[in-house]
Amino acid sequence: PTVLRLDGLRVVIYPNDHRPAHVHVIGAGGEAVFVLNCPVGPPELRESYGFSRKDVGRIAGELADHLSELCPRWSEIHGDF
């Protein structure tokens, strides 16, 4: 499910996914996967398709601002980080 929206991008945590805690960021012709490094971060890019480096940096910064929401959501869906 989509757990957050960032400037038209969907931040998704899949229920049947694996550890470590991570999110998929989808939209604007791209997809990226960031490991959250819960509970304190910082989010780390694992892979990206279709996003510029500038976009990836901006997304990582925005994810860092929302770690206090994203890490508990991961735990709700998957348990421990």
Side-chain angles (χ1 to χ4, degrees):
T2 299
V3 294
L4 182 67
R5 291 193 183 270
L6 302 171
D7 299 323
L9 302 174
R10 294 184 318 120
V11 179
V12 177
I13 298 173
Y14 292 112
N16 60 345
D17 222 336
H18 55 84
R19 287 182 179 84
H22 66 281
V23 294
H24 298 256
V25 180
I26 304 165
E31 181 170 357
V33 178
F34 287 85
V35 175
L36 296 174
N37 292 313
C38 291
V40 295
E44 221 177 311
L45 179 67
R46 188 176 79 195
E47 56 190 284
S48 174
Y49 307 96
F51 288 122
S52 69
R53 283 187 179 167
K54 181 179 177 181
D55 289 336
V56 166
R58 179 182 54 79
I59 294 166
E62 291 186 37
L63 291 174
D65 292 342
H66 292 277
L67 274 180
S68 63
E69 302 163 51
L70 294 171
C71 290
R73 275 301 273 160
W74 174 274
S75 287
E76 286 173 20
I77 296 168
H78 296 286
D80 293 337
F81 309 122

